[in-house]
Amino acid sequence: MKTVYRRLYLGFLLLTAATAEGAVLKGIVIENELGGPPLENVEISAASGGNPTVSHSNGAFALEFPSFHPGDRVRVVVKKSGHVVVNDVQLEQALPANPDATPLTILLCKEGVREEMASRFYRLKSLEAIRQRYEEELAKLQEQQHENVEALSRLAQERHRAIAAAQTTAEQLAKVNPEESSQLYREAMRLFLEGKIDRALNVLDEEKLRRATTAVAKKREEADKQLAELVQAWLLKAQLLTTQFRFKEAEDTHASALSAAPESFEANFAFALFNHELNRFDKANEAYARALGIAQRQETVSKVAMTLNNLGVLHRAQNRMEEARKAHEESLKIRRALAEKNPDTYLPDVAKTLNNLGVLHREQNRMEEARKAYEESLKIRRALAEKNPDTYLPDVANTLNNLGVLHSDQNRMEEARKAYEEALKSYRALAEKNSDTYLPDVAMTLNNLGVLHRAQNRMEEARNAYEESLRSYRALAEKNPDAYLPDVAMTLNNLGNLHSDQNRMEEARKTYEESLKIGRALAKKNPDTYLPDVAKTLNNLGVLHRDQNRMEEARKAYEESLKIRRALAEKNPDTYLPYVANTLNNLGVLHRAQNRMEEARKAYEESLRSYRALAEKNPDTYLPDVAMTLNNLGVLDRDQNRMEEARKAYEEALKSYRALAEKNPDTYLPDVAMTLNNLGNLRRDQNRKEEARKAFIEALDIYTRFAKRDPDQYSSRAALVKNNLEALGH
């Protein structure tokens, strides 16, 4: 009995010992690639449950797991300074029943060559799989007695194609970071590296992949929705900060939204719009470009059109006129197509792009194209405003204002007045309810109305309009200088013109100089946008200097203005050639005043050539400039005793001014009087006293009538003509 008990006891001890031994994972650490040298003193451990060890001189190691059993899955952890694991996916292992049967091979390499070593390893494993498959298929052919030339050739071709693909495939696999891959990927990759291709394909079963993809897509959809909601919250915060004029914080908030969702169209578009409204054009351009790329990738045509429309406005502000045209025309094409299917949604967008295209046409002196675009836009917007005035009345006012500018450019002054006054009435009503939004529009329309009043010699009305506009823009610029300082400078420049017309020379000087100071500061940051304004103010300042006999200061101002305008006209002649001609004409007046007669002639003749070319295409706009330059050239001819040339120039100028005055007497009758006075002086010099008398009498009658309205401007002119008439005698 004792013997029996002893055997039972021994058996119990053996069973306990086997359980206590747990499990062991054996392996070898090799440098770089299969067949490489062994690595010693590499730290080997497990994420949990293993007793740490190090590799021996032959690279071998044995990692013990006292509390684990064969079949349990473990994650091996490998550490050696400056080294990384090549075959990372194989570090997840099921503990073997026999550790000597399938030892784990760990490949270690320097950090900088990991991708190359991984590529070699995957290529080797791919070639092993190809070889194994080739041998299996070859054996099948031999067994089935199909070992014919055609079948063997086809099999060889398949092997060749697989081998060719193995290199590219290995390179792509080497780029995958195992830590960023799915569990499905890692499991299939382990089986592949173990040569178990069928099992790996089973893991990557089509149905499994489809179910996994659907699940991930659902999670992604939920995540995308949540992210989109968070982006909207970021953008709301940015908008709220903007309303508090905390622009730096608003910009930082936009940056946070973009960091959270760099592929969000809404985040990129909002950031573009934020910078656009603050005249930070370079940042706006970059953000619009990103938004456009996202919209195109997402194939969301309405967003593509919206971004193109805004890009067009931005390009125009930077004087990139052809880029602006392309953007607007592409946007309009998309929006017209969308509006055909869904007019309620997309007709407002069609009207917006037409309005913007009209602005561009006008700035490029394509006046009839501008008119058509504005009128179509206005027709759509009036129809929309009839149904929904709260929403669309501001758009009607905007297009009316733009149409007013066009009417004014084409000397349709009463039509311009009606358009401006209707726009101003709407904007004032809107500003009473919402000053923050519509005060800038009131100021803009007042400025435009001031220009019209001045052109029609309604000087006090012009002053009132400019001064109210300037007060509004100054108040806006205190809160938001980036957005409204350009408008302050523009209105100051216009007010300077009015001061000069009314012989308030020191007030004109101060106004121009403040405008120029602002313009130069803006042009340093953004020359494409603000150099044209600098040139305009320099030109006007040159006129003032000349009138005050500060001739060298006038010359410097004109020459700097002309240099800027010539450079702009080289890139964009449609827009800037009229401005070159204007400064040349003014420089001609200065040259004549300084007895630089040939220089004056060259300037006038170049100016006249440009204005004649422009007037052929657009007479309503440029015929007054042709007449002005002819009148000045006539004065020069008379000074140089070229009497017949002077007569021809005056008579052509007078003919043009009379035609213009028939349509718009308030604006052009003073020019008729000026040219009559010049012609009277010429006739007097030629002893044609009766013709001179008739010219002086008609000129005096016009100036006398205008002096009743505006004595500051016209009384001195009337007195000059009266003296000329009295000098003739009876």
Side-chain angles (χ1 to χ4, degrees), residues 20-25 44-53 63-69 72-77 95:
E21 285 177 1
V24 176
L25 179 66
I44 311 292
S45 61
S48 61
N51 294 331
T53 186
L63 188 59
E64 297 179 353
F65 293 85
S67 58
F68 281 43
H69 302 286
D72 290 342
R73 298 200 70 82
V74 296
R75 171 77 180 172
V76 178
V77 178
L95 291 173

mmCIF file of all heavy atoms in Angstrom, residues 20-25 44-53 63-69 72-77 95:
data_model
loop_
_atom_site.group_PDB
_atom_site.id
_atom_site.type_symbol
_atom_site.label_atom_id
_atom_site.label_comp_id
_atom_site.label_asym_id
_atom_site.label_seq_id
_atom_site.Cartn_x
_atom_site.Cartn_y
_atom_site.Cartn_z
ATOM 1 N N ALA A 20 3.444 24.502 -13.185
ATOM 2 C CA ALA A 20 4.235 25.610 -12.673
ATOM 3 C C ALA A 20 5.213 26.134 -13.699
ATOM 4 O O ALA A 20 5.619 27.279 -13.682
ATOM 5 C CB ALA A 20 4.980 25.182 -11.416
ATOM 6 N N GLU A 21 5.620 25.297 -14.659
ATOM 7 C CA GLU A 21 6.597 25.736 -15.652
ATOM 8 C C GLU A 21 6.022 26.793 -16.595
ATOM 9 O O GLU A 21 6.744 27.561 -17.186
ATOM 10 C CB GLU A 21 7.070 24.537 -16.476
ATOM 11 C CG GLU A 21 8.035 23.650 -15.725
ATOM 12 C CD GLU A 21 8.422 22.433 -16.542
ATOM 13 O OE1 GLU A 21 7.945 22.323 -17.697
ATOM 14 O OE2 GLU A 21 9.169 21.601 -16.028
ATOM 15 N N GLY A 22 4.709 26.895 -16.740
ATOM 16 C CA GLY A 22 4.072 27.866 -17.626
ATOM 17 C C GLY A 22 4.411 27.599 -19.074
ATOM 18 O O GLY A 22 4.285 26.485 -19.558
ATOM 19 N N ALA A 23 4.869 28.651 -19.783
ATOM 20 C CA ALA A 23 5.196 28.521 -21.206
ATOM 21 C C ALA A 23 6.461 29.315 -21.504
ATOM 22 O O ALA A 23 6.818 30.245 -20.785
ATOM 23 C CB ALA A 23 4.041 29.010 -22.062
ATOM 24 N N VAL A 24 7.114 28.935 -22.620
ATOM 25 C CA VAL A 24 8.365 29.569 -23.015
ATOM 26 C C VAL A 24 8.294 29.923 -24.500
ATOM 27 O O VAL A 24 7.774 29.156 -25.310
ATOM 28 C CB VAL A 24 9.575 28.643 -22.750
ATOM 29 C CG1 VAL A 24 10.862 29.297 -23.261
ATOM 30 C CG2 VAL A 24 9.691 28.314 -21.277
ATOM 31 N N LEU A 25 8.829 31.097 -24.821
ATOM 32 C CA LEU A 25 8.952 31.513 -26.214
ATOM 33 C C LEU A 25 10.436 31.673 -26.512
ATOM 34 O O LEU A 25 11.128 32.457 -25.868
ATOM 35 C CB LEU A 25 8.235 32.841 -26.465
ATOM 36 C CG LEU A 25 8.315 33.387 -27.891
ATOM 37 C CD1 LEU A 25 7.572 32.484 -28.874
ATOM 38 C CD2 LEU A 25 7.757 34.808 -27.950
ATOM 39 N N ILE A 44 14.831 41.724 -24.130
ATOM 40 C CA ILE A 44 13.598 41.064 -24.578
ATOM 41 C C ILE A 44 12.665 40.963 -23.387
ATOM 42 O O ILE A 44 13.048 40.468 -22.316
ATOM 43 C CB ILE A 44 13.877 39.650 -25.133
ATOM 44 C CG1 ILE A 44 15.030 39.657 -26.152
ATOM 45 C CG2 ILE A 44 12.613 39.062 -25.737
ATOM 46 C CD1 ILE A 44 14.734 40.368 -27.426
ATOM 47 N N SER A 45 11.422 41.430 -23.558
ATOM 48 C CA SER A 45 10.429 41.318 -22.487
ATOM 49 C C SER A 45 9.069 41.150 -23.139
ATOM 50 O O SER A 45 8.969 40.966 -24.354
ATOM 51 C CB SER A 45 10.467 42.556 -21.587
ATOM 52 O OG SER A 45 10.160 43.727 -22.328
ATOM 53 N N ALA A 46 8.051 41.205 -22.324
ATOM 54 C CA ALA A 46 6.688 41.092 -22.851
ATOM 55 C C ALA A 46 5.854 42.218 -22.287
ATOM 56 O O ALA A 46 6.158 42.779 -21.227
ATOM 57 C CB ALA A 46 6.077 39.752 -22.492
ATOM 58 N N ALA A 47 4.788 42.565 -23.037
ATOM 59 C CA ALA A 47 3.910 43.630 -22.564
ATOM 60 C C ALA A 47 3.304 43.270 -21.215
ATOM 61 O O ALA A 47 3.034 44.139 -20.391
ATOM 62 C CB ALA A 47 2.813 43.890 -23.600
ATOM 63 N N SER A 48 3.128 41.974 -20.965
ATOM 64 C CA SER A 48 2.649 41.523 -19.645
ATOM 65 C C SER A 48 2.976 40.046 -19.489
ATOM 66 O O SER A 48 2.962 39.284 -20.459
ATOM 67 C CB SER A 48 1.131 41.737 -19.520
ATOM 68 O OG SER A 48 0.432 40.987 -20.500
ATOM 69 N N GLY A 49 3.331 39.657 -18.273
ATOM 70 C CA GLY A 49 3.453 38.246 -17.925
ATOM 71 C C GLY A 49 4.780 37.593 -18.156
ATOM 72 O O GLY A 49 5.018 36.476 -17.697
ATOM 73 N N GLY A 50 5.718 38.208 -18.872
ATOM 74 C CA GLY A 50 6.984 37.541 -19.163
ATOM 75 C C GLY A 50 8.110 38.005 -18.251
ATOM 76 O O GLY A 50 8.098 39.137 -17.761
ATOM 77 N N ASN A 51 9.101 37.084 -18.051
ATOM 78 C CA ASN A 51 10.290 37.451 -17.291
ATOM 79 C C ASN A 51 11.318 38.038 -18.246
ATOM 80 O O ASN A 51 11.755 37.352 -19.178
ATOM 81 C CB ASN A 51 10.886 36.231 -16.580
ATOM 82 C CG ASN A 51 9.948 35.699 -15.504
ATOM 83 O OD1 ASN A 51 9.179 36.455 -14.922
ATOM 84 N ND2 ASN A 51 10.001 34.391 -15.261
ATOM 85 N N PRO A 52 11.733 39.300 -18.069
ATOM 86 C CA PRO A 52 12.670 39.931 -19.007
ATOM 87 C C PRO A 52 13.959 39.135 -19.135
ATOM 88 O O PRO A 52 14.428 38.498 -18.195
ATOM 89 C CB PRO A 52 12.928 41.303 -18.370
ATOM 90 C CG PRO A 52 11.752 41.552 -17.484
ATOM 91 C CD PRO A 52 11.346 40.207 -16.962
ATOM 92 N N THR A 53 14.558 39.204 -20.317
ATOM 93 C CA THR A 53 15.821 38.521 -20.575
ATOM 94 C C THR A 53 16.597 39.326 -21.601
ATOM 95 O O THR A 53 16.145 40.395 -22.043
ATOM 96 C CB THR A 53 15.563 37.082 -21.076
ATOM 97 O OG1 THR A 53 16.813 36.400 -21.187
ATOM 98 C CG2 THR A 53 14.870 37.074 -22.431
ATOM 99 N N LEU A 63 12.249 33.486 -23.540
ATOM 100 C CA LEU A 63 11.397 34.357 -22.734
ATOM 101 C C LEU A 63 10.365 33.500 -22.006
ATOM 102 O O LEU A 63 9.559 32.807 -22.638
ATOM 103 C CB LEU A 63 10.698 35.382 -23.647
ATOM 104 C CG LEU A 63 9.904 36.503 -22.990
ATOM 105 C CD1 LEU A 63 10.780 37.345 -22.061
ATOM 106 C CD2 LEU A 63 9.273 37.395 -24.066
ATOM 107 N N GLU A 64 10.437 33.498 -20.700
ATOM 108 C CA GLU A 64 9.571 32.627 -19.897
ATOM 109 C C GLU A 64 8.318 33.374 -19.445
ATOM 110 O O GLU A 64 8.380 34.542 -19.048
ATOM 111 C CB GLU A 64 10.340 32.123 -18.671
ATOM 112 C CG GLU A 64 11.550 31.265 -19.045
ATOM 113 C CD GLU A 64 12.314 30.796 -17.805
ATOM 114 O OE1 GLU A 64 11.967 31.266 -16.693
ATOM 115 O OE2 GLU A 64 13.249 29.992 -17.966
ATOM 116 N N PHE A 65 7.191 32.600 -19.458
ATOM 117 C CA PHE A 65 5.896 33.134 -19.035
ATOM 118 C C PHE A 65 5.333 32.199 -17.971
ATOM 119 O O PHE A 65 4.577 31.252 -18.282
ATOM 120 C CB PHE A 65 4.939 33.223 -20.227
ATOM 121 C CG PHE A 65 5.348 34.232 -21.260
ATOM 122 C CD1 PHE A 65 6.259 33.899 -22.251
ATOM 123 C CD2 PHE A 65 4.828 35.521 -21.240
ATOM 124 C CE1 PHE A 65 6.641 34.814 -23.199
ATOM 125 C CE2 PHE A 65 5.210 36.450 -22.196
ATOM 126 C CZ PHE A 65 6.125 36.108 -23.179
ATOM 127 N N PRO A 66 5.683 32.380 -16.698
ATOM 128 C CA PRO A 66 5.314 31.424 -15.640
ATOM 129 C C PRO A 66 3.811 31.232 -15.492
ATOM 130 O O PRO A 66 3.347 30.142 -15.191
ATOM 131 C CB PRO A 66 5.918 32.051 -14.383
ATOM 132 C CG PRO A 66 6.991 32.951 -14.873
ATOM 133 C CD PRO A 66 6.524 33.470 -16.193
ATOM 134 N N SER A 67 3.056 32.284 -15.682
ATOM 135 C CA SER A 67 1.604 32.183 -15.427
ATOM 136 C C SER A 67 0.785 32.050 -16.700
ATOM 137 O O SER A 67 -0.435 32.159 -16.666
ATOM 138 C CB SER A 67 1.143 33.412 -14.629
ATOM 139 O OG SER A 67 1.448 34.602 -15.326
ATOM 140 N N PHE A 68 1.438 31.875 -17.855
ATOM 141 C CA PHE A 68 0.722 31.738 -19.129
ATOM 142 C C PHE A 68 0.760 30.283 -19.599
ATOM 143 O O PHE A 68 1.536 29.470 -19.094
ATOM 144 C CB PHE A 68 1.345 32.635 -20.197
ATOM 145 C CG PHE A 68 0.938 34.087 -20.105
ATOM 146 C CD1 PHE A 68 0.877 34.743 -18.886
ATOM 147 C CD2 PHE A 68 0.610 34.785 -21.245
ATOM 148 C CE1 PHE A 68 0.516 36.064 -18.803
ATOM 149 C CE2 PHE A 68 0.249 36.123 -21.181
ATOM 150 C CZ PHE A 68 0.200 36.765 -19.952
ATOM 151 N N HIS A 69 -0.058 29.975 -20.571
ATOM 152 C CA HIS A 69 -0.141 28.617 -21.115
ATOM 153 C C HIS A 69 0.077 28.649 -22.624
ATOM 154 O O HIS A 69 -0.139 29.681 -23.267
ATOM 155 C CB HIS A 69 -1.523 28.009 -20.820
ATOM 156 C CG HIS A 69 -1.837 27.973 -19.364
ATOM 157 N ND1 HIS A 69 -1.265 27.080 -18.503
ATOM 158 C CD2 HIS A 69 -2.691 28.738 -18.623
ATOM 159 C CE1 HIS A 69 -1.741 27.283 -17.291
ATOM 160 N NE2 HIS A 69 -2.608 28.287 -17.333
ATOM 161 N N ASP A 72 -1.772 30.980 -25.467
ATOM 162 C CA ASP A 72 -2.064 32.364 -25.072
ATOM 163 C C ASP A 72 -1.299 33.331 -25.986
ATOM 164 O O ASP A 72 -0.147 33.076 -26.342
ATOM 165 C CB ASP A 72 -1.638 32.615 -23.616
ATOM 166 C CG ASP A 72 -2.527 31.885 -22.617
ATOM 167 O OD1 ASP A 72 -3.645 31.474 -23.018
ATOM 168 O OD2 ASP A 72 -2.107 31.729 -21.455
ATOM 169 N N ARG A 73 -1.960 34.445 -26.314
ATOM 170 C CA ARG A 73 -1.305 35.424 -27.183
ATOM 171 C C ARG A 73 -0.560 36.446 -26.324
ATOM 172 O O ARG A 73 -1.072 36.927 -25.306
ATOM 173 C CB ARG A 73 -2.315 36.139 -28.072
ATOM 174 C CG ARG A 73 -3.051 35.166 -29.014
ATOM 175 C CD ARG A 73 -3.675 35.902 -30.185
ATOM 176 N NE ARG A 73 -2.663 36.399 -31.114
ATOM 177 C CZ ARG A 73 -2.102 35.651 -32.060
ATOM 178 N NH1 ARG A 73 -2.422 34.364 -32.199
ATOM 179 N NH2 ARG A 73 -1.218 36.163 -32.880
ATOM 180 N N VAL A 74 0.657 36.786 -26.764
ATOM 181 C CA VAL A 74 1.492 37.738 -26.034
ATOM 182 C C VAL A 74 2.080 38.737 -27.028
ATOM 183 O O VAL A 74 2.110 38.503 -28.239
ATOM 184 C CB VAL A 74 2.642 37.030 -25.287
ATOM 185 C CG1 VAL A 74 2.095 36.097 -24.224
ATOM 186 C CG2 VAL A 74 3.545 36.286 -26.257
ATOM 187 N N ARG A 75 2.534 39.864 -26.489
ATOM 188 C CA ARG A 75 3.203 40.884 -27.296
ATOM 189 C C ARG A 75 4.626 41.028 -26.776
ATOM 190 O O ARG A 75 4.858 41.405 -25.624
ATOM 191 C CB ARG A 75 2.485 42.223 -27.164
ATOM 192 C CG ARG A 75 3.208 43.409 -27.783
ATOM 193 C CD ARG A 75 3.085 43.440 -29.265
ATOM 194 N NE ARG A 75 3.782 44.594 -29.848
ATOM 195 C CZ ARG A 75 3.963 44.788 -31.131
ATOM 196 N NH1 ARG A 75 3.479 43.895 -31.995
ATOM 197 N NH2 ARG A 75 4.615 45.825 -31.581
ATOM 198 N N VAL A 76 5.598 40.687 -27.632
ATOM 199 C CA VAL A 76 7.004 40.761 -27.252
ATOM 200 C C VAL A 76 7.488 42.200 -27.409
ATOM 201 O O VAL A 76 7.137 42.883 -28.374
ATOM 202 C CB VAL A 76 7.853 39.812 -28.122
ATOM 203 C CG1 VAL A 76 9.337 39.917 -27.759
ATOM 204 C CG2 VAL A 76 7.361 38.378 -27.962
ATOM 205 N N VAL A 77 8.281 42.648 -26.457
ATOM 206 C CA VAL A 77 8.841 44.000 -26.482
ATOM 207 C C VAL A 77 10.351 43.888 -26.632
ATOM 208 O O VAL A 77 11.002 43.165 -25.868
ATOM 209 C CB VAL A 77 8.479 44.773 -25.196
ATOM 210 C CG1 VAL A 77 9.106 46.163 -25.232
ATOM 211 C CG2 VAL A 77 6.960 44.856 -25.035
ATOM 212 N N LEU A 95 1.773 31.615 -27.797
ATOM 213 C CA LEU A 95 2.837 30.833 -27.150
ATOM 214 C C LEU A 95 2.771 29.387 -27.642
ATOM 215 O O LEU A 95 1.698 28.769 -27.644
ATOM 216 C CB LEU A 95 2.692 30.903 -25.636
ATOM 217 C CG LEU A 95 2.987 32.284 -25.027
ATOM 218 C CD1 LEU A 95 2.640 32.299 -23.546
ATOM 219 C CD2 LEU A 95 4.439 32.667 -25.229
#
